[in-house]
Structure formats: structure tokens, C-alpha cells
Amino acid sequence: MAASLLVCVLLALLTGSPTDAQLCQKVDACSCKLDNGTVVSLHSLANTDGGYAFKAAWEGDTFWYNPCFGFDQGSACHDVSLCVNWKDDPADRTELLGTVQPSFITVINSTTVAFKYDSGFSQDSEVYVTCDEQAIEPTFLSHGKDPDYSNRYIFTLTSADACARHAQCKQVDRCTCTMDDGSGNLNLHTFSRPEKPWEIAVPGGTVYYNPCVGVSANISDTCKGAAVCLKQGDTFVNLGSALSGVFVTDENGDVILEYQNLQDETKTTKVTLTCDPSARVEPVFENPSLSESHLSVTMKSVCACAGSCMFPARTCTADDTCSCKLSDGSGTISLHALDNPAAAFKDVATTSGVEYTFYYNPCSGLTVGLEACMNVSGCAYNHVAQRYTALGTVQPDAFTLDDGRLIIAYSDKQSGTSYNLTLVCDITATNPKFAFTGSRLQNSYDFMLTTKCACADECATNGLK
Ligand SMILES: *[C@@H]1O[C@H](CO)[C@@H](O)[C@H](O)[C@H]1NC(C)=O
Ligand SMILES: *[C@@H]1O[C@H](CO)[C@@H](O)[C@H](O)[C@H]1NC(C)=O
Ligand SMILES: *[C@@H]1O[C@H](CO)[C@@H](O)[C@H](O)[C@H]1NC(C)=O
Ligand SMILES: *[C@@H]1O[C@H](CO)[C@@H](O)[C@H](O)[C@H]1NC(C)=O
Ligand SMILES: *[C@@H]1O[C@H](CO)[C@@H](O)[C@H](O)[C@H]1NC(C)=O
């Protein structure tokens, strides 16, 4: 007993684990959850372009830091989070001070947590991250060696972005949001029943509720396109259009789906989504409160628990070269509003050591580089060989749904190339973003297009915008 205790203490000393310090539970490489459920996240401070985010100097030594993602620097730092160049070394000679994954994160006080990084060698480091609501710019400083532990280097990072807050649910489409702490989606698609919407009893009447696509027109003409339709006697009132749904996370961390009538903004609804794993089959509506033209209600469901509700199986049937209709009645995904043969989407990227410019235009295709890319949907320009290659015809091979995302597969029989375009629905993405995401086999490429037009019914289905 005594011996095993001694071993524990020795182990703790050797590995440097905190024995009594309170831990901030690691969520990923650069965020952690405190006991009260709030999250300290360095995501907004990280450099996502493969470089470092912060540089600091201390008595002639130079330090580089990037939380979340690794970077390369000098001779010895490859895919690291902390790197140093000692003052007596040549400028490109570096040493690793910390890998991307911290070994643990401890709570220092109400505004500070410490990220402890190991190097795998004798040296390690600790970054004290302090929340300062007043800080306009983040400050990263080196403080040299820990006076109590000579192989440890101490840094401080102070920022308003490092303050503990509840995870926010970021809007995906009109009835799905994704938690920014990586815990998953809140997804109401399973509950879409336009013909037989959910009924919520309110004083003097009934509220019909159907998230995602709204109630069917046969409920009442007044409620066409409404997700929330109030019936009192013979009158129907639209208390929120399906296409107005917006997710808001309040200061308690509760996720609220807010609606308004798009024709009359005084008519609104707030649905507070409460995670309830026992409400597996049907949602449970509680505490409805109706005043004037505003409804607030709580919806308890397993689908309000992050990552717990599956997308129902769906297919998307092609209407033409760049739009398809979803099988569950939630609408049409159409890229027509993005079609412009004269200004194709472009991305420059390096693959297999060669720089390429990739071009894409949906619907009516594009023509670049004389014969090579004539009337195609995608084209690649190889900067070394100075050659254009067609990637796929205007007509896609298939529209496939994968985990709620639409993948359009294209190929070009003549050049033997093919590519998949993954559409990412983000209703806040009014400026579409096109990116090359990799090449799998030879002559087969992957791209991603993030746009609100990847969400059902957010963009016009024909050429009209
Ligand atoms: C918390 O700890 C940090 C680092 O040790 C220190 O700079 C800061 O003043 C402390 N803040 C409070 C509120 O104790
Ligand atoms: C949660 O705890 C942290 C650290 O003690 C504190 O700064 C924060 O204000 C607390 N947040 C809430 C909502 O209680
Ligand atoms: C609307 O139509 C569907 C079938 O098309 C039917 O099942 C449903 O009962 C109708 N709803 C109302 C309120 O009439
Ligand atoms: C472009 O290619 C598509 C098939 O991918 C074809 O249907 C269309 O007629 C072609 N247009 C022109 C102008 O050649
Ligand atoms: C493209 O997507 C289809 C359907 O999901 C899949 O079968 C195929 O392997 C993918 N091809 C590439 C090149 O990614």
C-alpha cells in the first residue's frame, strides 16, 4: 500500500502531472471545459494557414507558438505548437518545445488556465492563458525558465478571446446548428412533418409547428411557409416563417431557435431547445406562453442533445446539371444563382509538389485554355507543365447525400479524370467559398463549396436570383 503510494507520487513527479491542481477537461488540442460547463477555447487565436500565430523574444532567444494546429519552423520543428531558436544558434536551427496536443490543462484561478506542453525530450513548456475582456489585441510573452523547474519555459497569452464562455451553436441550415466545442449538431430534420405538424395547445387555440420546411399549405393559406402557425377559432396567424429560423445561444448556454413572420416582423416565436435523452421518439413541448403575437415554448428532445440525432436517410434527385430535389420534401438544392461561365470559381493549390489553379463553374460550365477545357464544369491548370486538363463534363455523374452533405460527382471520359464536389450548407455564407481539398487517386480530385445555396430552398432554383 505504502509502496504503491510512493510509486504514484514518484510517477507524478516524473511525469510532472498535477497532483492536486484542478484540471480543465481537454475538449481538443486547444480548448477545455471548466466545471461549470463553460469552455476556454483558443480556436479564434490559432493560425489555420500552417504557420505560427505568435512570436516572442526573451534575452535573445526567439519563440514561436500556435495553439490548435502544428506549424513548421527551421531545422527541427515539424508539426509543432511551440518552437525555439536559441540566441547562440544559427538562425535556422530550431528546437521543439511543445507538440500540438497539450499533456494537460490546469485551472490556475478564475481567469487563467495553464496549457502544459511536452516536447518528448527533456524540455517542456507551459502557456498561462488569461482572459482579459478589455484586451483589444492578444498578447503573447515569454518569461524565460520556470524558477522552480529549469527545463520548463513559461509563456503568457492574454486575450479577450480566451475568456470562458458557453459553447455556441453555429447555424448550419434553418433547423440544424453545430456546437463550436466540437460536440456535434443539434438537428431537427427528423421532426419535419409538413402534412401533420406538431400540435401545441395554447390558451384559446392550437399552434402547429413544423421546423425546417414549415407547415403544408393545406393547414391554411395564411400559414403557407410558416414553421409556426397559430389557430384560434377560424383565424390563422403566421408566427414565424420557416426560412427565418435563426439559432441563438443565450448567456446560460441554452440554444434557442428564433422565428419571425417574414411579412410582419412583429410576429415572432422562440423555441428553447432542451436536451432530453428520454424524449427519443417525439419531442415534448412545455411551458408554452402566448402574448400578443409572440410565442415562446420549450422543446425537449434527444435531437436537442449535441450529436445525438441522426439525419434521416435521404436522396437527392437531379432536376438538371446543378440542382436536385431532396426526397424528404425539405426542398431543392440549387447552384443556379452561382452560375457564371465568365467568372468561374478558382483555387490555387499545390498537390504532389506541383502548383495548380483549379476552376469550377456549375450549371452551364466554363471554357478556358483553348481546346483542353471547352464546355467543362471543372478544369486544372498545371503551372509547371503550363497545361490545362479537363476535370469533368458539365453533366454530373451523380448527386449523392453523405451525412447530410450533398456530393456532386463529375468525370471526363476523354481525359480520364474525375472529381467530387462536396457542398457545405451554411446559411451565413453569402459569399461562396470554393476550395481544393485533396487528390485521392491519380487523376481524381476533391473540392468543397461552402455556400448558402447548398441549403435547401435558400437560393432560386432557376436562373433568376
Ligand atoms: C490569475 O493568475 C495569473 C497568472 O498566475 C495572474 O497573472 C492573475 O493576476 C491571476 N488573477 C487573479 C484574478 O487572481
Ligand atoms: C465559469 O467558471 C469560470 C472560471 O471560474 C468563470 O470565469 C466563469 O465566469 C464561470 N461562468 C459561469 C457562466 O458561471
Ligand atoms: C393535409 O393533407 C394531408 C395529405 O395530403 C392529410 O393527411 C392531412 O390530414 C391534411 N391536413 C389537414 C389539416 O387537412
Ligand atoms: C456542353 O456539354 C454538355 C454535356 O456535358 C452538353 O449537353 C452541351 O450540349 C454542351 N454545350 C455545348 C455548347 O457544347
Ligand atoms: C465520389 O463520390 C462517390 C459517391 O459518394 C464515391 O463513390 C467516389 O468514390 C468518390 N470519388 C472520389 C474521387 O472522391
Side-chain angles (χ1 to χ4, degrees), residues 47-125:
N47 184 337
T48 55
D49 297 336
Y52 61 86
F54 300 104
K55 188 175 170 180
W58 174 263
E59 294 181 350
D61 303 330
T62 307
F63 301 91
W64 295 271
Y65 177 50
N66 193 39
C68 313
F69 308 106
F71 63 94
D72 295 345
Q73 185 73 37
S75 57
C77 293
H78 301 294
D79 196 19
V80 306
S81 262
L82 268 159
C83 181
V84 61
N85 168 240
W86 306 118
K87 67 175 170 204
D88 297 328
D89 282 344
D92 68 338
R93 175 132 172 250
T94 53
E95 263 179 52
L96 165 64
L97 275 191
T99 55
V100 177
Q101 289 291 338
S103 46
F104 49 82
I105 308 159
T106 47
V107 178
I108 304 296
N109 58 36
S110 65
T111 55
T112 302
V113 295
F115 282 69
K116 164 84 178 358
Y117 294 95
D118 289 335
S119 65
F121 304 105
S122 59
Q123 288 155 168
D124 61 28
S125 45

Side-chain angles (χ1 to χ4, degrees), residues 166-187:
H166 284 287
Q168 310 281 304
C169 207
K170 196 173 160 285
Q171 185 121 18
V172 175
D173 63 20
R174 295 299 175 183
C175 57
T176 310
C177 64
T178 185
M179 300 300 294
D180 67 0
D181 64 358
S183 56
N185 284 354
L186 266 56
N187 180 340

